[in-house]
Structure formats: structure tokens, C-alpha cells
Amino acid sequence: MTSPPSGPASAAGSPRQDHPPGEDTSEARAHHSWRDPGGKYEPDGAGGVLGARPLPGQTFHGRDPQLLAASAICRVSPTRCQARTRLYRDGRLELEGFPVADISDHLADESVTVWLDLRDPDHDDLAVVSEEFGLHPLAVEDAVHPSQRPKLDRYPSHLFLTAYGTRLDTATGELATSELAAFITGQALITVRKDDGLDIGAVLERWDASPDLARFGVGYLLYGLLDYIVDTQFEAAQSLDDCVEELEDQLFGAVPRGLQVQRRSFQLRKSLVLLRRLVIPMREVVNDVMRRDLHVVGENLVPYYQDVYDHVLRAAEWTDSLRDLVNSILETNLVIQSNRLNIITKKVTGWAAIIAVPTLITGYFGMNVPYPGFSERAGFAASVATIVLAGLVLYVIFKRKDWL
């Protein structure tokens, strides 16, 4: 890996490569034996587990962290948070769940690639890892603080990546996110998850599904991670597309649902805006990871990263088209409501005109002065006949003109 200036340099701002760049979680929560006064979860045995602290309404929960990738969980760790480790040697998985303190000894062998995962660490936990790997303090600070934008930063000894897994609640139309930070060195991938939403077990399954790529080291691990993250974003876009189709059916339904359609449209548009903020920067992230001067992606892995990049482009284009479609639905809904109001006004006006004629006739015959037929049955019959005849004539005329 090259040695750029000591400060953080955004890879998104550097020159691009000269070649064109390259898709379930349950609601189970972790149960622990007791909770300490500081609010952190502590299980029995060595190696604590720091409970997730998701932002309400913004994050989501995945599978039970005590059962997820259980073989990789460290039983002895200097960190208070839950840690997982894996070691590949010469492209073969050799160790899982080994102590975090042994990582530096293993990295002395250049044929070794290590993965370390930390679940919701605090600053003290990352300080231990930072000392072990020589991480830049600015990158460590970004990894601790939530709500970072998706990005790829360059530091002298490593890269720093921030990305988000996503999931759409189809019932409410709300998009939930799960933030992940990653430190990328020449021999190690360190992932920092701030909640249980991002299913790290699914990432391991992708790694295990392509053991022939393990010989490519960190690039192989990073590919599986990015592929899973981009797939969650693509699936969220697909779910939003299904919700928009249902909204279109409601828009032209026989039963007017103007307020429901409008409320649903605003929620979907809000989710689309959030998804777009996460997907658009991922284009630059994946593109910059593929830069040759970073020496992360070898020639053999370029087609795989191009496939991930293609999924990012499709997701970004999908969100743009869906956003336009939702805006069109909102405008169409207002037009339909206006047309219905015009129709109702037209019908009410027509009936008011029909009723006005009997009112005029009864007003005339209700005068207190004598008129032809006054106090006679013939006069009463003439008034009734005139009311009925005039009402029928107006009704026929308005009906033919589609005013009623």
C-alpha cells in the first residue's frame, strides 16, 4: 500500500482509474445474563459484550448476536465489546475465534490475512485495536461517532470505509439503516458494527461460498462485505418499487383514498431520499476501492468488484426513477382530488338549478294576492304539473350534458 500524506485524504476526491468500473434478518434481540450499572451488557465468561444502542426509528436488529457466527466469537478479548476473528493462511481458513491479543503475532507471517469484527465498541475498545494495528486517531473517532456519510478515506497505514446496510419496513414505508465502519490494511480487515442490524453472519456465508477467492487476501474479504451491503440497498430499492406499485393501484381505486395515498407517498419519498443519500456515495466508494494505486483489488478480483459497482449503479438509478415516480403520484393524487371536487360541485350545482324551478313556482303560487286559479283545484293542479314537468325537462337536459 502506498504512503500518502499523513492526514486523511478522501479517495473520492483523487483521480479515478482509467478503465470503466465494474444484491434476512429476524427481529430477535440478544438476551444476556445481567446488566451492569453503566448500561452495558455483560455475559457470563471471559470477553464482555457491549449491548447495541441503536437510534430509535433509524436502526434495526438482526439475528441473535450470541448465535450469529458463533464459531468466530472470541472467548478471550481485551475489549469489552463482543469480538469475532478469522485467520486465513495461503488462501485457506485456518483459525476462528482466536484471542484478539494474538493478532499481531499472526500478522508477522505475510501469508496471513486476518478479519476482526467488533460489535458496538466504545472509544476504549477501539483504542486497544488502534494500538494493535496503528490506526489513525481521526479514523478511530469517525468509527465511534454515528451518522457518518458513506466514504472511503486514505491514511498512511490503512484505508477507512463507512457504509450502511438497509432494510425497508413495507408496512410503514420507513427505511431502517445499520452503520458499519471498516479499517482496511494490507493484511487485515477490521469491521466495526454499531448495532446488530447488519447481518455479519450473511457476510461470512458469502466468504465461505467462494473459498477459491480467499487467496486474494483482504480484497476478497472486502468484496464479500461490499457485495452484501450493496445487496441490502438494492433489495430496499426493490421493496420501495413494490410499495410504489401498490400505491398506484390505490391511486386509481374505486374507493377514494386521497389522504391515505398522500400520507403513504410522503413516507415513501422520505425513505427514497434517505436511500439515495446512502447509495449515491457508494458509487464513489466502490469505484475508489478499485483504484490500482491502493493495491487492494488485484486483477483477478476486478470483475467481481465491477459486478458490485454495477449493482450500485442500478440501485442509484432505481432510486432516482422511483423518486420521480412518487412525485408524480403526489401530483396525480392532487389532480384527481381536484377533479373529484369539480365533479361534486358540478352535480350539486345541477341539482340546485333543478330545485330552484319548483322554488320559483311555489313562490309565485304562494302569493297572498288573487291570481288565475286562486283557491281552485285547477290552479293547484297546474302548479304541481308545472313543477314536475320543469324538473323533468331540466334533469334530462343536465343528464345529456353530463352535468349530473
Side-chain angles (χ1 to χ4, degrees), residues 54-110:
L55 297 177
Q58 296 184 3
T59 61
F60 59 97
H61 293 274
R63 291 182 284 180
D64 190 337
Q66 301 304 316
L67 303 177
L68 189 64
S71 61
I73 298 177
C74 298
R75 303 304 172 187
V76 178
S77 174
T79 61
R80 299 182 62 187
C81 67
Q82 188 183 60
R84 289 175 172 81
T85 53
R86 267 193 171 191
L87 183 144
Y88 293 84
R89 191 186 305 273
D90 295 323
R92 294 188 304 272
L93 178 60
E94 186 172 289
L95 290 176
E96 286 186 296
F98 58 88
V100 175
D102 295 346
I103 291 180
S104 57
D105 296 334
H106 291 300
L107 291 180
D109 186 350
E110 295 183 356

Short mmCIF file of all heavy atoms in Angstrom, two decimals, residues 54-110:
data_model
loop_
_atom_site.label_atom_id
_atom_site.label_comp_id
_atom_site.label_asym_id
_atom_site.label_seq_id
_atom_site.Cartn_x
_atom_site.Cartn_y
_atom_site.Cartn_z
N PRO A 54 -28.96 1.36 19.32
CA PRO A 54 -29.43 1.94 18.06
C PRO A 54 -30.23 3.22 18.29
O PRO A 54 -30.83 3.40 19.34
CB PRO A 54 -30.32 0.85 17.47
CG PRO A 54 -30.81 0.11 18.66
CD PRO A 54 -29.70 0.16 19.69
N LEU A 55 -30.21 4.09 17.31
CA LEU A 55 -31.03 5.29 17.37
C LEU A 55 -32.46 4.92 17.08
O LEU A 55 -32.74 4.25 16.08
CB LEU A 55 -30.53 6.32 16.32
CG LEU A 55 -29.11 6.82 16.53
CD1 LEU A 55 -28.74 7.76 15.39
CD2 LEU A 55 -28.97 7.52 17.86
N PRO A 56 -33.42 5.27 17.92
CA PRO A 56 -34.81 4.87 17.73
C PRO A 56 -35.34 5.30 16.38
O PRO A 56 -35.18 6.44 15.96
CB PRO A 56 -35.54 5.60 18.88
CG PRO A 56 -34.47 5.88 19.88
CD PRO A 56 -33.22 6.09 19.11
N GLY A 57 -35.98 4.35 15.69
CA GLY A 57 -36.59 4.65 14.42
C GLY A 57 -35.63 4.73 13.26
O GLY A 57 -36.05 5.00 12.14
N GLN A 58 -34.34 4.53 13.47
CA GLN A 58 -33.37 4.65 12.40
C GLN A 58 -32.59 3.35 12.17
O GLN A 58 -32.09 3.13 11.09
CB GLN A 58 -32.38 5.78 12.70
CG GLN A 58 -33.04 7.15 12.76
CD GLN A 58 -32.03 8.24 12.96
OE1 GLN A 58 -30.83 7.99 12.99
NE2 GLN A 58 -32.49 9.46 13.09
N THR A 59 -32.44 2.53 13.18
CA THR A 59 -31.70 1.30 13.03
C THR A 59 -32.63 0.11 13.17
O THR A 59 -33.80 0.25 13.50
CB THR A 59 -30.58 1.19 14.08
OG1 THR A 59 -31.19 1.21 15.39
CG2 THR A 59 -29.62 2.35 13.97
N PHE A 60 -32.11 -1.06 12.91
CA PHE A 60 -32.92 -2.27 13.04
C PHE A 60 -32.05 -3.37 13.61
O PHE A 60 -30.82 -3.25 13.66
CB PHE A 60 -33.52 -2.69 11.70
CG PHE A 60 -32.51 -2.98 10.62
CD1 PHE A 60 -32.10 -4.27 10.35
CD2 PHE A 60 -31.97 -1.95 9.87
CE1 PHE A 60 -31.18 -4.53 9.35
CE2 PHE A 60 -31.05 -2.20 8.86
CZ PHE A 60 -30.65 -3.49 8.61
N HIS A 61 -32.66 -4.45 14.05
CA HIS A 61 -31.95 -5.53 14.72
C HIS A 61 -31.92 -6.77 13.83
O HIS A 61 -32.87 -7.06 13.10
CB HIS A 61 -32.60 -5.85 16.06
CG HIS A 61 -32.45 -4.75 17.06
ND1 HIS A 61 -31.35 -4.61 17.87
CD2 HIS A 61 -33.26 -3.70 17.36
CE1 HIS A 61 -31.49 -3.55 18.63
NE2 HIS A 61 -32.65 -2.98 18.34
N GLY A 62 -30.84 -7.51 13.93
CA GLY A 62 -30.68 -8.74 13.17
C GLY A 62 -30.82 -9.96 14.05
O GLY A 62 -31.50 -9.95 15.07
N ARG A 63 -30.11 -11.00 13.66
CA ARG A 63 -30.19 -12.24 14.40
C ARG A 63 -29.47 -12.14 15.74
O ARG A 63 -28.68 -11.21 15.97
CB ARG A 63 -29.60 -13.38 13.56
CG ARG A 63 -30.46 -13.73 12.35
CD ARG A 63 -29.88 -14.90 11.57
NE ARG A 63 -28.73 -14.49 10.77
CZ ARG A 63 -28.05 -15.34 10.01
NH1 ARG A 63 -28.38 -16.61 9.97
NH2 ARG A 63 -27.03 -14.92 9.30
N ASP A 64 -29.72 -13.10 16.61
CA ASP A 64 -29.16 -13.10 17.96
C ASP A 64 -27.64 -13.05 17.88
O ASP A 64 -27.01 -13.95 17.31
CB ASP A 64 -29.61 -14.36 18.69
CG ASP A 64 -29.28 -14.32 20.17
OD1 ASP A 64 -28.36 -13.58 20.56
OD2 ASP A 64 -29.94 -15.04 20.94
N PRO A 65 -26.99 -12.01 18.43
CA PRO A 65 -25.53 -11.90 18.33
C PRO A 65 -24.79 -13.01 19.06
O PRO A 65 -23.60 -13.23 18.81
CB PRO A 65 -25.23 -10.53 18.95
CG PRO A 65 -26.41 -10.25 19.83
CD PRO A 65 -27.59 -10.88 19.15
N GLN A 66 -25.46 -13.72 19.98
CA GLN A 66 -24.81 -14.82 20.68
C GLN A 66 -24.76 -16.09 19.83
O GLN A 66 -23.99 -17.00 20.10
CB GLN A 66 -25.53 -15.10 22.00
CG GLN A 66 -25.56 -13.91 22.94
CD GLN A 66 -24.17 -13.38 23.25
OE1 GLN A 66 -23.25 -14.14 23.51
NE2 GLN A 66 -24.02 -12.06 23.21
N LEU A 67 -25.63 -16.15 18.81
CA LEU A 67 -25.68 -17.34 17.94
C LEU A 67 -25.11 -17.06 16.56
O LEU A 67 -24.77 -18.00 15.84
CB LEU A 67 -27.13 -17.81 17.80
CG LEU A 67 -27.86 -18.14 19.12
CD1 LEU A 67 -29.31 -18.52 18.83
CD2 LEU A 67 -27.16 -19.24 19.87
N LEU A 68 -25.00 -15.81 16.20
CA LEU A 68 -24.55 -15.44 14.87
C LEU A 68 -23.05 -15.67 14.73
O LEU A 68 -22.26 -15.11 15.49
CB LEU A 68 -24.88 -13.96 14.63
CG LEU A 68 -24.67 -13.42 13.22
CD1 LEU A 68 -25.59 -14.11 12.23
CD2 LEU A 68 -24.92 -11.92 13.21
N ALA A 69 -22.66 -16.51 13.75
CA ALA A 69 -21.23 -16.82 13.54
C ALA A 69 -20.56 -17.17 14.86
O ALA A 69 -19.50 -16.62 15.20
CB ALA A 69 -20.54 -15.66 12.84
N ALA A 70 -21.18 -18.08 15.61
CA ALA A 70 -20.71 -18.40 16.96
C ALA A 70 -19.28 -18.93 16.98
O ALA A 70 -18.53 -18.70 17.93
CB ALA A 70 -21.65 -19.42 17.60
N SER A 71 -18.88 -19.63 15.93
CA SER A 71 -17.54 -20.21 15.91
C SER A 71 -16.45 -19.15 15.84
O SER A 71 -15.30 -19.40 16.21
CB SER A 71 -17.40 -21.16 14.72
OG SER A 71 -17.60 -20.46 13.49
N ALA A 72 -16.79 -17.95 15.39
CA ALA A 72 -15.79 -16.89 15.25
C ALA A 72 -15.75 -15.97 16.47
O ALA A 72 -14.89 -15.07 16.52
CB ALA A 72 -16.08 -16.06 14.00
N ILE A 73 -16.63 -16.15 17.46
CA ILE A 73 -16.66 -15.28 18.62
C ILE A 73 -15.45 -15.54 19.52
O ILE A 73 -15.15 -16.69 19.85
CB ILE A 73 -17.96 -15.48 19.41
CG1 ILE A 73 -19.18 -15.11 18.56
CG2 ILE A 73 -17.95 -14.65 20.70
CD1 ILE A 73 -20.51 -15.34 19.25
N CYS A 74 -14.77 -14.46 19.90
CA CYS A 74 -13.61 -14.58 20.78
C CYS A 74 -14.07 -14.79 22.22
O CYS A 74 -14.91 -14.03 22.72
CB CYS A 74 -12.75 -13.32 20.71
SG CYS A 74 -12.08 -12.98 19.08
N ARG A 75 -13.52 -15.81 22.85
CA ARG A 75 -13.84 -16.03 24.26
C ARG A 75 -12.92 -15.25 25.18
O ARG A 75 -13.25 -14.99 26.33
CB ARG A 75 -13.73 -17.53 24.58
CG ARG A 75 -14.60 -18.41 23.70
CD ARG A 75 -16.06 -17.99 23.77
NE ARG A 75 -16.89 -18.70 22.80
CZ ARG A 75 -18.16 -18.41 22.57
NH1 ARG A 75 -18.72 -17.42 23.22
NH2 ARG A 75 -18.85 -19.10 21.67
N VAL A 76 -11.78 -14.87 24.66
CA VAL A 76 -10.82 -14.06 25.43
C VAL A 76 -10.48 -12.84 24.59
O VAL A 76 -9.96 -12.98 23.48
CB VAL A 76 -9.54 -14.85 25.77
CG1 VAL A 76 -8.57 -13.97 26.53
CG2 VAL A 76 -9.88 -16.10 26.57
N SER A 77 -10.79 -11.65 25.12
CA SER A 77 -10.56 -10.44 24.36
C SER A 77 -10.27 -9.29 25.30
O SER A 77 -10.89 -9.17 26.36
CB SER A 77 -11.79 -10.11 23.50
OG SER A 77 -11.64 -8.86 22.86
N PRO A 78 -9.30 -8.41 24.95
CA PRO A 78 -9.03 -7.24 25.79
C PRO A 78 -10.12 -6.17 25.67
O PRO A 78 -10.13 -5.22 26.45
CB PRO A 78 -7.70 -6.72 25.23
CG PRO A 78 -7.68 -7.19 23.82
CD PRO A 78 -8.38 -8.51 23.81
N THR A 79 -11.00 -6.31 24.70
CA THR A 79 -12.09 -5.35 24.53
C THR A 79 -13.31 -5.79 25.33
O THR A 79 -13.53 -6.97 25.57
CB THR A 79 -12.49 -5.26 23.04
OG1 THR A 79 -12.95 -6.55 22.58
CG2 THR A 79 -11.32 -4.82 22.20
N ARG A 80 -14.09 -4.81 25.74
CA ARG A 80 -15.31 -5.10 26.47
C ARG A 80 -16.44 -5.50 25.54
O ARG A 80 -17.41 -6.12 25.97
CB ARG A 80 -15.73 -3.89 27.30
CG ARG A 80 -14.70 -3.47 28.35
CD ARG A 80 -15.20 -2.28 29.16
NE ARG A 80 -16.41 -2.61 29.88
CZ ARG A 80 -17.14 -1.72 30.55
NH1 ARG A 80 -16.77 -0.45 30.56
NH2 ARG A 80 -18.22 -2.09 31.19
N CYS A 81 -16.34 -5.11 24.29
CA CYS A 81 -17.39 -5.45 23.33
C CYS A 81 -17.15 -6.85 22.77
O CYS A 81 -16.08 -7.43 22.92
CB CYS A 81 -17.41 -4.43 22.19
SG CYS A 81 -15.94 -4.47 21.16
N GLN A 82 -18.18 -7.36 22.14
CA GLN A 82 -18.08 -8.69 21.52
C GLN A 82 -17.18 -8.62 20.30
O GLN A 82 -17.29 -7.71 19.48
CB GLN A 82 -19.47 -9.18 21.12
CG GLN A 82 -19.49 -10.63 20.65
CD GLN A 82 -20.88 -11.05 20.20
OE1 GLN A 82 -21.44 -10.47 19.29
NE2 GLN A 82 -21.45 -12.05 20.86
N ALA A 83 -16.28 -9.58 20.15
CA ALA A 83 -15.33 -9.59 19.04
C ALA A 83 -15.39 -10.94 18.34
O ALA A 83 -15.64 -11.98 18.95
CB ALA A 83 -13.91 -9.31 19.54
N ARG A 84 -15.16 -10.90 17.04
CA ARG A 84 -15.06 -12.11 16.22
C ARG A 84 -13.78 -12.05 15.41
O ARG A 84 -13.39 -10.96 14.94
CB ARG A 84 -16.26 -12.24 15.28
CG ARG A 84 -17.58 -12.57 15.96
CD ARG A 84 -18.74 -12.55 14.97
NE ARG A 84 -19.97 -13.04 15.56
CZ ARG A 84 -20.78 -12.32 16.32
NH1 ARG A 84 -20.47 -11.05 16.59
NH2 ARG A 84 -21.89 -12.84 16.83
N THR A 85 -13.14 -13.19 15.23
CA THR A 85 -11.88 -13.22 14.48
C THR A 85 -11.86 -14.41 13.53
O THR A 85 -12.48 -15.45 13.78
CB THR A 85 -10.67 -13.33 15.43
OG1 THR A 85 -10.85 -14.45 16.30
CG2 THR A 85 -10.52 -12.07 16.26
N ARG A 86 -11.15 -14.21 12.45
CA ARG A 86 -10.86 -15.28 11.48
C ARG A 86 -9.46 -15.08 10.95
O ARG A 86 -9.00 -13.94 10.79
CB ARG A 86 -11.86 -15.26 10.32
CG ARG A 86 -13.07 -16.16 10.50
CD ARG A 86 -13.82 -16.30 9.20
NE ARG A 86 -14.85 -17.33 9.30
CZ ARG A 86 -15.51 -17.82 8.27
NH1 ARG A 86 -15.24 -17.38 7.04
NH2 ARG A 86 -16.43 -18.75 8.45
N LEU A 87 -8.81 -16.19 10.62
CA LEU A 87 -7.46 -16.14 10.07
C LEU A 87 -7.38 -17.04 8.84
O LEU A 87 -7.77 -18.22 8.89
CB LEU A 87 -6.43 -16.56 11.11
CG LEU A 87 -4.95 -16.49 10.70
CD1 LEU A 87 -4.09 -16.07 11.88
CD2 LEU A 87 -4.45 -17.85 10.15
N TYR A 88 -6.90 -16.46 7.75
CA TYR A 88 -6.67 -17.21 6.52
C TYR A 88 -5.16 -17.26 6.28
O TYR A 88 -4.47 -16.25 6.39
CB TYR A 88 -7.34 -16.51 5.33
CG TYR A 88 -8.86 -16.51 5.39
CD1 TYR A 88 -9.54 -15.54 6.12
CD2 TYR A 88 -9.60 -17.47 4.71
CE1 TYR A 88 -10.92 -15.52 6.17
CE2 TYR A 88 -10.98 -17.46 4.76
CZ TYR A 88 -11.64 -16.49 5.49
OH TYR A 88 -13.01 -16.48 5.54
N ARG A 89 -4.69 -18.43 5.94
CA ARG A 89 -3.27 -18.60 5.62
C ARG A 89 -3.16 -19.26 4.26
O ARG A 89 -3.69 -20.36 4.03
CB ARG A 89 -2.57 -19.45 6.67
CG ARG A 89 -1.04 -19.44 6.53
CD ARG A 89 -0.39 -20.43 7.51
NE ARG A 89 -0.79 -20.16 8.88
CZ ARG A 89 -0.16 -19.30 9.69
NH1 ARG A 89 0.88 -18.63 9.24
NH2 ARG A 89 -0.58 -19.13 10.93
N ASP A 90 -2.49 -18.57 3.34
CA ASP A 90 -2.32 -19.07 1.98
C ASP A 90 -3.66 -19.42 1.33
O ASP A 90 -3.80 -20.43 0.63
CB ASP A 90 -1.40 -20.30 1.96
CG ASP A 90 0.01 -19.96 2.38
OD1 ASP A 90 0.48 -18.85 2.03
OD2 ASP A 90 0.64 -20.79 3.08
N GLY A 91 -4.68 -18.58 1.61
CA GLY A 91 -5.98 -18.76 0.97
C GLY A 91 -6.86 -19.80 1.61
O GLY A 91 -7.90 -20.15 1.02
N ARG A 92 -6.51 -20.31 2.77
CA ARG A 92 -7.33 -21.33 3.45
C ARG A 92 -7.69 -20.83 4.85
O ARG A 92 -6.84 -20.26 5.55
CB ARG A 92 -6.59 -22.66 3.55
CG ARG A 92 -6.34 -23.32 2.21
CD ARG A 92 -5.79 -24.73 2.40
NE ARG A 92 -4.58 -24.73 3.20
CZ ARG A 92 -3.36 -24.57 2.70
NH1 ARG A 92 -3.19 -24.39 1.39
NH2 ARG A 92 -2.30 -24.58 3.49
N LEU A 93 -8.94 -21.06 5.24
CA LEU A 93 -9.37 -20.69 6.58
C LEU A 93 -8.71 -21.62 7.58
O LEU A 93 -8.90 -22.84 7.54
CB LEU A 93 -10.91 -20.81 6.69
CG LEU A 93 -11.51 -20.50 8.07
CD1 LEU A 93 -11.19 -19.09 8.50
CD2 LEU A 93 -13.02 -20.74 8.04
N GLU A 94 -7.95 -21.03 8.49
CA GLU A 94 -7.16 -21.84 9.42
C GLU A 94 -7.64 -21.72 10.87
O GLU A 94 -7.68 -22.72 11.60
CB GLU A 94 -5.68 -21.42 9.34
CG GLU A 94 -4.75 -22.30 10.14
CD GLU A 94 -3.29 -21.97 9.87
OE1 GLU A 94 -2.80 -22.28 8.75
OE2 GLU A 94 -2.64 -21.40 10.76
N LEU A 95 -8.02 -20.52 11.30
CA LEU A 95 -8.43 -20.32 12.69
C LEU A 95 -9.67 -19.45 12.76
O LEU A 95 -9.89 -18.58 11.90
CB LEU A 95 -7.31 -19.64 13.49
CG LEU A 95 -6.04 -20.45 13.80
CD1 LEU A 95 -5.03 -19.57 14.51
CD2 LEU A 95 -6.38 -21.69 14.65
N GLU A 96 -10.48 -19.67 13.81
CA GLU A 96 -11.63 -18.83 14.12
C GLU A 96 -11.72 -18.63 15.62
O GLU A 96 -11.38 -19.53 16.38
CB GLU A 96 -12.94 -19.47 13.63
CG GLU A 96 -13.17 -19.42 12.14
CD GLU A 96 -14.55 -19.95 11.77
OE1 GLU A 96 -14.81 -21.15 12.01
OE2 GLU A 96 -15.38 -19.16 11.28
N GLY A 97 -12.16 -17.45 16.01
CA GLY A 97 -12.38 -17.19 17.43
C GLY A 97 -11.13 -17.14 18.27
O GLY A 97 -11.20 -17.31 19.48
N PHE A 98 -9.96 -16.91 17.68
CA PHE A 98 -8.73 -16.84 18.46
C PHE A 98 -8.65 -15.50 19.17
O PHE A 98 -9.30 -14.52 18.77
CB PHE A 98 -7.51 -17.07 17.56
CG PHE A 98 -7.39 -16.09 16.44
CD1 PHE A 98 -6.71 -14.88 16.60
CD2 PHE A 98 -7.94 -16.36 15.19
CE1 PHE A 98 -6.58 -13.98 15.57
CE2 PHE A 98 -7.83 -15.47 14.16
CZ PHE A 98 -7.15 -14.28 14.34
N PRO A 99 -7.86 -15.37 20.23
CA PRO A 99 -7.80 -14.13 21.00
C PRO A 99 -7.33 -12.94 20.17
O PRO A 99 -6.46 -13.07 19.30
CB PRO A 99 -6.79 -14.45 22.12
CG PRO A 99 -6.85 -15.94 22.25
CD PRO A 99 -7.09 -16.46 20.87
N VAL A 100 -7.91 -11.79 20.46
CA VAL A 100 -7.55 -10.57 19.74
C VAL A 100 -6.08 -10.22 19.98
O VAL A 100 -5.39 -9.71 19.09
CB VAL A 100 -8.47 -9.41 20.17
CG1 VAL A 100 -8.04 -8.10 19.52
CG2 VAL A 100 -9.91 -9.72 19.83
N ALA A 101 -5.58 -10.51 21.18
CA ALA A 101 -4.20 -10.18 21.51
C ALA A 101 -3.19 -10.95 20.66
O ALA A 101 -2.03 -10.55 20.57
CB ALA A 101 -3.94 -10.46 22.99
N ASP A 102 -3.62 -12.05 20.02
CA ASP A 102 -2.69 -12.86 19.21
C ASP A 102 -2.60 -12.37 17.78
O ASP A 102 -1.82 -12.93 16.99
CB ASP A 102 -3.14 -14.32 19.20
CG ASP A 102 -3.07 -14.96 20.59
OD1 ASP A 102 -2.43 -14.35 21.47
OD2 ASP A 102 -3.66 -16.04 20.78
N ILE A 103 -3.39 -11.36 17.42
CA ILE A 103 -3.43 -10.93 16.02
C ILE A 103 -2.05 -10.45 15.55
O ILE A 103 -1.59 -10.81 14.46
CB ILE A 103 -4.49 -9.83 15.83
CG1 ILE A 103 -5.89 -10.42 16.00
CG2 ILE A 103 -4.35 -9.19 14.46
CD1 ILE A 103 -7.00 -9.41 15.84
N SER A 104 -1.40 -9.62 16.36
CA SER A 104 -0.10 -9.08 15.94
C SER A 104 0.91 -10.19 15.70
O SER A 104 1.75 -10.09 14.79
CB SER A 104 0.41 -8.10 16.99
OG SER A 104 0.50 -8.73 18.26
N ASP A 105 0.87 -11.26 16.50
CA ASP A 105 1.79 -12.37 16.30
C ASP A 105 1.52 -13.07 14.98
O ASP A 105 2.44 -13.46 14.25
CB ASP A 105 1.67 -13.37 17.45
CG ASP A 105 2.09 -12.77 18.78
OD1 ASP A 105 2.91 -11.82 18.76
OD2 ASP A 105 1.60 -13.22 19.84
N HIS A 106 0.23 -13.23 14.65
CA HIS A 106 -0.12 -13.89 13.39
C HIS A 106 0.26 -13.05 12.19
O HIS A 106 0.67 -13.58 11.14
CB HIS A 106 -1.62 -14.20 13.35
CG HIS A 106 -2.06 -15.25 14.32
ND1 HIS A 106 -1.56 -16.53 14.31
CD2 HIS A 106 -2.95 -15.20 15.34
CE1 HIS A 106 -2.12 -17.24 15.27
NE2 HIS A 106 -2.97 -16.46 15.91
N LEU A 107 0.13 -11.73 12.31
CA LEU A 107 0.42 -10.86 11.17
C LEU A 107 1.90 -10.79 10.84
O LEU A 107 2.27 -10.23 9.80
CB LEU A 107 -0.11 -9.45 11.45
CG LEU A 107 -1.64 -9.30 11.49
CD1 LEU A 107 -2.03 -7.87 11.78
CD2 LEU A 107 -2.26 -9.77 10.17
N ALA A 108 2.74 -11.34 11.70
CA ALA A 108 4.17 -11.40 11.37
C ALA A 108 4.42 -12.27 10.15
O ALA A 108 5.43 -12.11 9.46
CB ALA A 108 4.95 -11.92 12.58
N ASP A 109 3.48 -13.19 9.89
CA ASP A 109 3.57 -14.05 8.71
C ASP A 109 2.85 -13.34 7.56
O ASP A 109 1.65 -13.07 7.63
CB ASP A 109 2.91 -15.40 9.01
CG ASP A 109 3.10 -16.39 7.86
OD1 ASP A 109 3.57 -15.98 6.77
OD2 ASP A 109 2.75 -17.57 8.05
N GLU A 110 3.57 -13.02 6.49
CA GLU A 110 2.99 -12.28 5.38
C GLU A 110 1.95 -13.07 4.60
O GLU A 110 1.19 -12.50 3.82
CB GLU A 110 4.09 -11.82 4.43
CG GLU A 110 5.05 -10.81 5.05
CD GLU A 110 6.08 -10.32 4.07
OE1 GLU A 110 6.08 -10.83 2.92
OE2 GLU A 110 6.87 -9.42 4.44
#
